[in-house]
Amino acid sequence: MRVEQRDWTQAEGWRGGKELGDRAQLVLLFGGTDVLAGTQWLDELRGCYPKARLFGCSTAGEICGTRVSDDTLVSSAVSFDHTPLAMAQVRLDAVAGSQEAGERLAKALDPKELVHVFTLSDGQHVNGSELVRGMLAHLPKGVQVTGGLAGDGARFQRTLVFADERPAEDTIAAIGFYGSRLKVGYGSLGGWDTFGPMRQVTRSEGNVLYELDGKPALELYKTYLGEHAAGLPATGLLFPLNLRRPGQDRTLVRTILNVDESKQSLTYAGDVPEGSMAQLMKANFDRLIEGASDAAKASYEQIGGVSPDLAILISCIGRKLVLKQRTEEEIEGVRDVLGKRTVLTGFYSYGEICPAAPGASCDLHNQTMTITTLTETA
């Protein structure tokens, strides 16, 4: 397995080698929304890698090695020695909802010798929990899903996803990896602190929260945000929701995607079930960086403690907004764990998809660093 990385900036154009040529089977591409919406990059990449499948999304920040940038393009061309792959794509306007979208994606992938699925989703109009539920219901037992929701900086206007076609809104795509020679690791951890009282979700529908302790959710949320309330939904990323579902000990974190003043509701990236207990969270800088390193350790250990060929990092935009000039520290922490030979790529997202632990059920997370590591055995 060989990986070749290039990046594009407005000032310098494309940088990096292009030796893989027609040996590349896959090109992962992450970029700023406006840049990705253009067409020139598509022809240029197809010229460099004529036989490769192209797969990617818009972001809230691009990761190239240990650098984090905005409104650029980062491509990672991959040549596998023993790993066939397949792709599937679905439009949200062609299905009844996010769960059906997940079902269609999973059914479109041949289950024979499937070992892992990596997915990228629209970040504005999807319920990530339902998407994952639909995929897992139709994937072979033991096949896990990792990936994330596309971003659009802190604008929350439109997100783009593509699999061999032009980037488009309201799109979800997946790659299926095949064969026993591919080893896949994953890890997902946060690092936020809870504060304020624990409250019960007394009225919700899917990923829309209407009431906490019988009070309008948006009104209550604004009370805690104070001066930050004027910047919703973007400022809501600084104060995510820690959620414990009924009958479960494990907690999930939820981030706001949209607010509805008329209904006094909050829309999250994943489910907020009625009866759940919820508590606000705030940043702990050192723990955020430690969380990224711990996610890397988990993914590293799953593939036998060897330095992987490729690591796909998907970190939440909320972490980037909080860490600011310290953002690259969490990437450097991952590098320290995985080693210098590993190619690091990825993006800042509106949600992360990953099992919470090895053997655990996959779910939609927010405010985590989620890492997928890939390497092939000889």
Side-chain angles (χ1 to χ4, degrees), residues 150-171:
D152 181 34
R155 295 177 291 269
F156 291 89
Q157 295 175 357
R158 60 172 181 159
T159 61
L160 306 173
V161 173
F162 65 97
D164 269 345
E165 299 181 9
R166 294 193 182 281
E169 297 180 56
D170 298 324
T171 300

Side-chain angles (χ1 to χ4, degrees), residues 18-42:
K18 46 183 178 180
E19 285 75 32
L20 279 183
D22 59 10
R23 290 175 294 164
Q25 295 119 307
L26 172 68
V27 175
L28 297 172
L29 184 72
F30 305 117
T33 309
D34 290 341
V35 180
L36 205 61
T39 58
Q40 185 176 355
W41 63 264
L42 183 59

Side-chain angles (χ1 to χ4, degrees), residues 63 147-148 187-192 237 240 242 250-255 281 287-289 291-293 295 313-320 323 330-331 334 347-356 363-371:
I63 297 170
S188 181
L189 286 163
W192 298 73
L237 296 165
N242 192 50
R250 184 170 58 87
T251 62
L252 293 168
V253 180
R254 290 287 179 255
T255 287
M281 307 181 81
R287 287 191 61 217
L288 288 175
I289 294 167
S293 297
L313 283 55
I314 303 179
S315 186
C316 188
I317 180 180
R319 300 169 67 90
K320 183 168 177 268
L323 290 170
E330 69 169 354
I331 314 299
V334 173
F347 65 99
Y348 282 81
S349 72
Y350 287 176
E352 306 83 57
I353 294 170
C354 188
D363 214 322
L364 184 282
H365 306 274
N366 290 120
Q367 306 292 6
T368 67
M369 166 65 84
T370 291
I371 301 174

Side-chain angles (χ1 to χ4, degrees), residues 96-143:
S98 299
Q99 183 162 333
E100 184 180 335
E103 292 172 355
R104 286 202 186 183
L105 279 176
K107 289 178 180 178
L109 297 173
D110 186 348
K112 187 177 180 181
E113 296 189 350
L114 181 65
V115 295
H116 190 78
V117 176
F118 182 79
T119 187
L120 296 174
S121 169
D122 165 85
Q124 285 286 89
H125 307 120
V126 73
N127 181 326
S129 299
E130 291 184 2
L131 171 66
V132 171
R133 212 158 26 238
M135 294 183 74
L136 293 178
H138 295 278
L139 289 175
K141 185 177 180 181
V143 174

